[in-house]
Structure formats: C-alpha cells, structure tokens
C-alpha cells in the first residue's frame, strides 16, 4: 500500500510538473511573439529612415525629384534611379515582413501608393521601377504593380 501511495504522489508531482512546463512554454511563446513584432517594427522603421537620411543629407535630391524627368542629366537621372531602387528594396522588405507575419497589406499599400504618386517626394521610384521590375518578377513586383501603381490615390 505504501508503494501504491508513493506511486500516486509521484504521478501527481509529474502531472504538476508537466502542467507547469506547459505554462512556462506558453509564456515563452508569447514573449517570443512580442519580440518578433518589435523586431519587425524596428526593421520597418530603420528601412524607411535610411531613405529619409539620404535625402536629408543631400537636399539636392529633393530638387531633382521636382524636376521634369526629360530635363534631367544622366547623372541626375542615375542618382534618382539609385534612390528609387533603395526605396523599392525597402518597400519589398516591408511587404515580405507583412506577408511572413500574415498581416494585412492594406496599410502598407496605402502608404506606398501615397509615396509613389507624390510628385515631388516619390524618392525616384517611378524612375527606378522598370529597371527594378526587370531584374525578376516576384510576388512583390506583381503585387506592387497591381495594388500600388495601378491604383493611384
């Protein structure tokens, strides 16, 4: 009878240990999910800030963005092209993060549309789009053309 009672107590202790382990695992999972959300947000902010810092450091880029594309010199056009490619790479990163975390793409689409169609501060994207798209067709390029470029604000 003592061994039976001891066996019951060991079983109860084991079950309590399993329950506590599951609770701990759940807490760790929630903490990890929160950390991933913060990391995604930080990456998105850093990507957007990178383009803004380039423009702030070189105000002549703002002047170039306001010029008629037909009046741009080759060097000016190339500068806008590089800036546009950088911004499109950042937008693709934002798109990829949103898709990977199963977030809705409505918010990023509106923001990208507003930037792309903003005549003076589109960061060279219209200059860069054809070259950017030509490197390869991806889910992002199809989505961007369908959702952003084909639907002006």
């Amino acid at each position: 009878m003592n061994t039976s009672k001891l066996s019951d107590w060991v079983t109860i202790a084991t079950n309590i240990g399993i329950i506590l382990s599951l609770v701990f695992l759940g807490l760790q999972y929630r903490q990890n999910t929160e950390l991933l959300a913060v990391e995604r947000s930080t990456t998105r902010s850093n990507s957007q800030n990178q383009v803004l810092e380039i423009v702030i450091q070189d105000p002549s880029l703002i002047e170039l963005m306001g010029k008629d594309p037909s009046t741009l010199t080759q060097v000016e056009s190339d500068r806008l092209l590089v800036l546009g490619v950088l911004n499109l790479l950042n937008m693709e990163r934002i798109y990829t993060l949103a898709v990977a975390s199963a977030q809705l793409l409505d918010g990023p689409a509106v923001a990208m549309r507003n930037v792309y169609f903003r005549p003076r501060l589109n960061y060279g994207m219209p200059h860069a789009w054809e070259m950017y798209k030509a490197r390869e067709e991806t889910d992002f390029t199809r989505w961007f053309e369908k959702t952003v470029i084909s639907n002006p604000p």
Side-chain angles (χ1 to χ4, degrees):
M1 182 142 150
N2 279 342
T3 56
S4 173
K5 236 179 192 329
L6 181 63
S7 176
D8 289 345
W9 281 107
V10 169
T11 303
I12 290 171
T14 303
N15 288 339
I16 290 172
I18 290 172
I19 291 170
L20 289 175
S21 295
L22 289 173
V23 168
F24 179 75
L25 183 66
L27 292 173
Q28 289 296 319
Y29 179 78
R30 182 170 32 172
Q31 183 181 18
N32 191 33
T33 303
E34 290 169 359
L35 287 173
L36 286 174
V38 168
E39 183 180 339
R40 276 192 303 272
S41 176
T42 303
T43 301
R44 185 179 308 129
S45 295
N46 288 343
S47 297
Q48 293 165 342
N49 290 341
Q50 183 182 17
V51 174
L52 292 174
E53 285 176 19
I54 290 171
V55 173
I56 289 169
Q57 290 171 1
D58 187 358
S60 66
L61 287 170
I62 294 175
E63 293 173 21
L64 292 180
M65 286 184 256
K67 282 178 110 177
D68 180 1
S70 64
T71 65
L72 294 173
T73 66
Q74 187 61 46
V75 172
E76 292 171 335
S77 181
D78 289 346
R79 288 178 70 202
L80 285 178
L81 181 79
V82 170
L83 184 63
V85 167
L86 178 62
N87 203 31
L88 288 165
L89 285 169
N90 287 333
M91 288 184 170
E92 184 169 19
R93 195 173 304 125
I94 290 167
Y95 169 85
T96 303
L97 286 170
V99 168
S101 62
Q103 292 178 345
L104 294 176
L105 291 169
D106 297 342
V110 169
M112 291 177 196
R113 198 175 297 124
N114 287 334
V115 170
Y116 186 87
F117 287 103
R118 190 170 185 169
R120 219 170 134 74
L121 293 176
N122 58 25
Y123 303 103
M125 285 190 298
H127 299 283
W129 178 248
E130 290 304 317
M131 186 192 85
Y132 187 85
K133 182 177 76 168
R135 67 189 175 109
E136 71 176 303
E137 187 172 336
T138 63
D139 288 339
F140 170 74
T141 57
R142 286 187 292 275
W143 175 84
F144 194 84
E145 254 185 351
K146 179 182 173 191
T147 310
V148 176
I149 295 174
S150 298
N151 295 310

